[in-house]
Amino acid sequence: MLRPWHLWLAIRRDGGLPAHLQIAQQVAEDIQQGRLHPGDALPGSRELAAQLGLNRKTVVSAYEELAAQGWVSAEGRRGTFVAPSLPAPALQPAATEALAQQSRETWRQREPELIDFSENAPDSRLIPFDVLGRAYRRALIATARSGKLSYGDPAGEPALRGALAQMLNMERGLHAGLDDICLARGSLMGIYLAGKAMLRPGDAAVFDRLSYPSARRAFASHGAECLDADGDEQGMLPQALEALCRSHRVKLVYLTPHHQFPTTRMMPAERRLQILALAERYDFHIVEDDYDHEFHFAHRPMLPMASLAGGHRVIYIGSLSKVLAPGLRIGFIVARPELVARCVDIVLLLDRQGNPVTELAVAELIDSGEFRRHLRRAWRVYQKRRQVLLESLAAELCGLAEYEPPAGGLAIWLRFAERVDMDRLAADARLRGVKILPGSFFAADQAAVAGMRLCFADVDEDKLRLGVRRLGEALRAQL
């Protein structure tokens, strides 16, 4: 049996206790303290003797002593193991509570009936693992042979930046080259880098009243004053933003115009142009987080603000997480070369570089067309789930919630009567095996918001129906 780690033991040559009894004593203590667990394999006698510089017979004698005391069991050629029938070691109260808490958290994560509407993540089960595996293998061989497993370009692998530039230019109307792109470990790191590059203590960053909480925390960590601008059904109000610009030193405005986070509404072209004009007039930049551009179901996606006249004022943040998987950690920043250079300098301090193997593998998926094929397959699955969710909402929440089918994105925003206690609804839904996030989660001051965001990409159709039915039960019980 392969044992990848050495069992560390210390043998005193000048001690009065024989070496084989020292071994037996230390192994028994390790079992009692929980370092070794019932069923764990012990090193072979030859291996341990060589490690300790002892005669093999000494180790054999130690194992025989342990077996006689019931600590271990010898299983012939398979080796020697900690006796599987031993009880778990007794723990101190604090350790017991910590272990219990860990067990509770593990159970929550594995709870088979939990239907999670809160996770804004794709269904990673849809990834063509065979294709991705082959791309990883070729990328690993290529990087090893070329010496690229050493330090590389902190801006990211040129192959992936080039593939992204072509995709963004062709499909999103950008004008990006290699020097305009910096790779990041997901979109949140891109947001953090943009804030670090642009903000100084005392600067102001403006958000929608309901927005992405992690973006607020990222900008606040750089000493920025985070402000909220009023909005309407079309997004942030230009006059509200201008009023803040007149009274504060606004440096960044964070927007999700394609599908506003969390309400999913799209900002129309006129509103976008108005805000771009304000950026020019008041000398601020827009961080455009285009977090799920790929999934639009009603008509063709609108081009990003970064593609419009005045787009030089936009720091465009994107990610491949919603198409592939968040665990691959592929995000990107597109901006003017001087801003990208600042971000690269920060990467050198934080992360040094990304993962060249993953980046080359994903570049191959894009260049070969596999990325686009996977996107089309995923789009069909998500379109079906979106339809199932809309049908379930119509059947179960008719008269209890209001919503408009969004043109795109992987979530639906529900609005409720003001009398609905959203925190209680979230708690009651959880008791029924449904996880939701109340609207207050997206507000800076955690004020009550009579709404919630239902994410559907990672939920099977049967669970979508069951989850909405349980949510309806919790809501009717409260009302």
Side-chain angles (χ1 to χ4, degrees):
M1 176 177 290
L2 179 62
R3 300 169 182 85
W5 308 110
H6 290 303
L7 175 63
W8 191 88
L9 299 174
I11 302 300
R12 295 187 58 181
R13 311 287 175 172
D14 57 350
L17 195 65
H20 77 283
L21 293 181
Q22 292 186 51
I23 294 173
Q25 184 180 65
Q26 290 182 58
V27 170
E29 288 175 355
D30 285 345
I31 294 172
Q32 294 176 76
Q33 294 171 5
R35 182 181 173 211
L36 291 173
H37 304 92
D40 279 356
L42 296 178
S45 57
R46 287 190 178 86
E47 176 189 348
L48 187 57
Q51 177 188 329
L52 299 176
L54 299 173
N55 187 288
R56 182 191 170 210
K57 291 183 179 179
T58 302
V59 177
V60 170
S61 297
Y63 281 179
E64 289 175 347
E65 180 67 26
L66 287 165
Q69 296 179 21
W71 293 111
V72 304
S73 61
E75 300 185 15
R77 293 185 178 181
R78 288 193 66 233
T80 303
F81 298 82
V82 177
S85 58
L86 288 174
L91 299 175
Q92 297 300 316
T96 303
E97 174 56 29
L99 183 59
Q101 178 64 24
Q102 182 182 6
S103 299
R104 288 194 291 268
E105 292 299 326
T106 301
W107 169 247
R108 290 191 189 107
Q109 294 168 9
R110 296 179 180 177
E111 191 175 354
E113 292 301 318
L114 181 66
I115 300 171
D116 191 350
F117 286 125
S118 70
E119 191 66 39
N120 190 43
D123 190 340
S124 58
R125 295 168 296 182
L126 302 177
I127 294 176
F129 292 104
D130 53 342
V131 175
L132 180 61
R134 289 194 294 269
Y136 257 105
R137 182 176 184 274
R138 286 189 287 268
L140 181 59
I141 293 172
T143 51
R145 287 178 176 172
S146 63
K148 289 185 178 179
L149 283 177
S150 183
Y151 292 123
D153 191 333
E157 281 297 313
L160 181 53
R161 286 188 286 141
L164 286 172
Q166 186 177 28
M167 179 185 75
L168 295 171
N169 295 342
M170 295 294 292
E171 297 199 348
R172 305 190 193 181
L174 273 60
H175 301 280
L178 287 182
D179 293 337
D180 303 309
I181 299 178
C182 175
L183 300 184
R185 300 293 188 103
S187 59
L188 181 55
M189 181 176 174
I191 294 167
Y192 177 90
L193 292 173
K196 182 70 173 176
M198 297 297 299
L199 294 168
R200 299 294 177 267
D203 289 343
V206 181
F207 294 81
D208 291 301
R209 290 207 172 274
L210 298 182
S211 191
Y212 182 33
S214 295
R216 293 183 198 271
R217 291 195 292 270
F219 289 170
S221 73
H222 304 310
E225 181 183 7
C226 294
L227 307 172
D228 289 344
D230 289 330
D232 59 13
E233 67 278 358
Q234 295 184 338
M236 186 179 290
L237 286 166
Q239 58 268 35
L241 174 57
E242 186 169 14
L244 292 174
C245 290
R246 288 173 175 168
S247 59
H248 296 79
R249 194 171 68 206
V250 174
K251 284 295 182 181
L252 288 180
V253 175
Y254 176 83
L255 293 173
T256 51
H258 198 51
H259 305 124
Q260 199 279 332
F261 190 93
T263 66
T264 75
R265 290 170 174 167
M266 180 185 295
M267 181 181 287
E270 180 182 4
R271 182 71 55 90
R272 298 178 185 217
L273 292 172
Q274 290 173 330
I275 293 178
L276 282 169
L278 290 176
E280 198 69 45
R281 185 182 310 161
Y282 290 98
D283 190 26
F284 63 77
H285 280 72
I286 297 164
V287 175
E288 181 180 14
D289 184 359
D290 204 0
Y291 63 94
D292 61 357
H293 181 96
E294 297 86 357
F295 298 106
H296 220 73
F297 304 104
H299 49 74
R300 284 186 59 82
M302 185 179 289
L303 293 179
M305 294 178 72
S307 69
L308 303 175
H312 62 282
R313 288 276 177 182
V314 177
I315 302 172
Y316 184 75
I317 307 292
S319 165
L320 302 184
S321 295
K322 297 297 183 293
V323 180
L324 295 172
L328 293 180
R329 312 311 302 142
I330 299 290
F332 53 88
I333 306 167
V334 184
R336 300 195 313 272
E338 61 269 26
L339 290 181
V340 168
R342 287 190 224 170
C343 292
V344 172
D345 287 342
I346 300 166
V347 170
L348 281 167
L349 295 174
L350 290 176
D351 200 34
R352 180 52 181 85
Q353 67 184 68
N355 186 323
V357 176
T358 298
E359 292 170 11
L360 286 175
V362 173
E364 179 183 319
L365 294 183
I366 296 175
D367 290 338
S368 67
E370 289 291 346
F371 181 85
R372 189 175 182 83
R373 281 189 284 274
H374 167 65
L375 176 58
R376 286 198 296 266
R377 289 191 296 267
W379 184 92
R380 289 192 292 270
V381 171
Y382 296 151
Q383 183 188 41
K384 176 63 174 174
R385 291 179 182 175
R386 173 180 180 271
Q387 185 60 36
V388 167
L389 179 57
L390 290 171
E391 292 170 355
S392 299
L393 291 172
E396 300 291 341
L397 298 185
C398 182
L400 299 176
E402 296 181 353
Y403 57 93
E404 287 84 37
L410 301 177
I412 293 177
W413 179 255
L414 302 184
R415 302 184 304 278
F416 300 93
E418 292 295 332
R419 69 181 187 277
V420 174
D421 184 334
M422 295 303 301
D423 290 334
R424 177 184 166 189
L425 179 58
D428 290 348
R430 186 58 185 260
L431 291 175
R432 290 170 167 82
V434 176
K435 183 179 179 182
I436 60 172
L437 289 178
S440 59
F441 177 80
F442 307 101
D445 55 4
Q446 300 292 295
V449 176
M452 75 170 65
R453 178 181 171 91
L454 293 185
C455 303
F456 60 82
D458 197 27
V459 186
D460 295 336
E461 293 167 20
D462 289 342
K463 286 189 175 181
L464 285 171
R465 297 185 182 95
L466 178 59
V468 173
R469 184 163 67 249
R470 291 176 175 176
L471 181 60
E473 292 170 357
L475 185 58
R476 282 188 288 273
Q478 181 181 150
L479 296 178

